[in-house]
Amino acid sequence: MATSAPGAKPPTIADVARVAGVSRTTVSHALNGLGKVDPRTRERVRQVAADLGYRPNLRAQRLRRGQAKVIALASSMPFAVAGGPSRLGFYMEVAAAAAERALLYDYALVLVPPVQSGSALYSVDIDGAIVVEPEAEDAAAAQLRERGLPYVALGRPVAAEEDIPYVDLRGRLVAELLLRHLRERGAVRPALIVGAGSRHSSVDAIAAYEQLAEEYGWTPIVARVAESGGEQAGYERCAALLTEHPGIDAVCALVDAFAVGAVRAVRDSGRSVPDDVMVVTRYDGLRARTCEPPLTAVDLHLDRAASDAVELLLGRLRGDTAVPSVAVSPEPRVIARASSVRAART
């Protein structure tokens, strides 16, 4: 294999053309899948490029094509709930899987901090974006529309006029699974804590809770909490609920930060988890697994969902009409842990 010696000048497209006995244009077409190049010539050029250790100039390619070959992952969800102090929450798990899938297509992923206002998405050179769980009037989605950039959603969009491809995270089914799990464990007075915004997870959870409350004869107890408050906001709202409704025997806190706060509130009220009050949450992440006791949560298959979102976005960028407008994540599964494991009550 005729590779370059350490410290030597990297081989150029002209070197590949000379060794392969073809023009520089033929090399470019062969390596980029362009033009009408004989298959045998294309394979020879690729082999020569590999033997020489040639790497194309990505910056030059992007300039010629008018593409950044970069996509963004964006959300209006604050780090207080999306990442937390460790920055290893929901948002970062999605980012890791999305970046891995994007690189398979030679796209890089830019991670944009939570978009609230200002110009977060105006200063990055991107071809499109994945917006994580957009709200009805989502700041990230608004900035992308203003720039005329294509985007897809991870989670069902809730804006009435929003007609974009998305990955269905099956929010209503996830909430139903958690609430039915609590009932099977003996809960008769469960409360629901959700984010104060209009993300699909909150909207769907409330709909599921109201339906099951009617079905099971529960007295509805629903609290909405500002996402920006994070764990402390979950603590304060749960503490207030336990004072206002002392008969609560379970809390379904959709946001994991709220759930961790709820566990503290239960204990500070003199009750125990799970014997007096069970606590469950949606996302099976670091917070859920390291809480004491560990939280019952749901496997949302985020790696698959993030990969599907990348596929939807790249399909839009290619103008591929065969790519579906909706991808449905795999069947969610409740992972029962100590925060809800107790004998059924009679």
Side-chain angles (χ1 to χ4, degrees):
M1 182 178 293
T3 55
S4 303
K9 183 179 179 181
T12 66
I13 192 170
D15 296 326
V16 177
R18 176 176 51 79
V19 174
V22 297
S23 69
R24 292 174 59 174
T25 299
T26 299
V27 172
S28 178
H29 287 181
L31 295 180
N32 293 293
L34 304 172
K36 296 180 180 179
V37 181
D38 181 85
R40 290 171 297 180
T41 301
R42 190 185 303 276
E43 182 57 34
R44 184 171 80 255
V45 168
R46 289 177 174 173
Q47 187 60 56
V48 168
D51 290 345
L52 293 177
Y54 169 72
R55 295 290 183 272
N57 186 320
L58 296 179
R59 181 174 298 174
Q61 284 186 346
R62 291 166 184 167
L63 288 173
R64 285 196 302 271
R65 296 173 181 172
Q67 293 178 311
K69 295 293 283 187
V70 177
I71 59 176
L73 183 72
S75 178
S76 60
M77 192 182 301
F79 268 136
V81 294
S86 69
R87 296 295 193 266
L88 296 175
F90 183 93
Y91 199 45
M92 291 306 297
E93 183 173 343
V94 170
E100 184 176 18
R101 178 54 62 98
L103 279 176
L104 294 177
Y105 298 95
D106 298 324
Y107 276 81
L109 182 82
V110 171
L111 184 61
V112 179
V115 179
Q116 299 295 331
S117 60
S119 58
L121 279 165
Y122 292 109
S123 59
V124 289
D125 185 15
I126 57 175
D127 298 312
I130 298 167
V131 180
V132 179
E133 297 198 306
E135 294 198 87
E137 297 180 359
D138 195 83
Q143 290 185 23
L144 290 164
R145 286 195 298 269
E146 288 177 17
R147 288 187 61 182
L149 291 173
Y151 65 96
V152 302
L154 182 65
R156 180 177 58 81
V158 293
E161 73 282 0
E162 194 131 39
D163 183 20
I164 62 168
Y166 68 94
V167 178
D168 187 355
L169 294 178
R170 310 176 79 168
R172 183 157 183 159
L173 176 58
V174 167
E176 287 178 357
L177 288 172
L178 286 170
L179 292 166
R180 292 187 191 279
H181 169 83
L182 289 173
R183 183 175 185 273
E184 290 166 1
R185 295 289 179 173
V188 294
R189 288 178 292 278
L192 178 70
I193 299 177
V194 298
S198 57
R199 304 191 196 285
H200 81 95
S201 52
S202 295
V203 172
D204 293 346
I206 291 173
Y209 179 77
E210 289 175 346
Q211 176 191 327
L212 292 179
E214 182 176 356
E215 180 180 337
Y216 297 140
W218 297 338
T219 299
I221 303 171
V222 178
R224 304 180 73 100
V225 180
E227 292 176 338
S228 59
E231 182 180 325
Q232 184 61 26
Y235 170 87
E236 292 171 0
R237 194 66 189 94
C238 185
L241 285 180
L242 293 170
T243 299
E244 297 162 8
H245 307 276
I248 287 174
D249 59 1
V251 173
C252 178
L254 264 288
V255 177
D256 55 353
F258 297 164
V260 173
V263 168
R264 286 201 294 119
V266 170
R267 285 178 167 167
D268 285 355
S269 73
R271 300 170 175 89
S272 67
V273 178
D275 292 336
D276 297 315
V277 181
M278 295 179 284
V279 180
V280 299
T281 193
R282 177 178 74 135
Y283 169 53
D284 180 36
L286 186 64
R287 278 191 180 113
R289 293 191 291 270
T290 59
C291 183
E292 184 55 45
L295 293 169
T296 290
V298 178
D299 181 0
L300 298 173
H301 305 284
L302 282 185
D303 53 346
R304 168 70 179 276
S307 296
D308 286 347
V310 171
E311 296 286 352
L312 289 181
L313 178 58
L314 297 186
R316 286 203 73 185
L317 294 176
R318 293 191 303 266
D320 188 349
T321 57
V323 176
S325 59
V326 179
V328 180
S329 62
E331 188 82 12
R333 176 176 62 91
V334 172
I335 301 172
R337 295 197 178 96
S339 70
S340 68
V341 176
R342 69 182 188 190
R345 297 179 177 180
T346 56

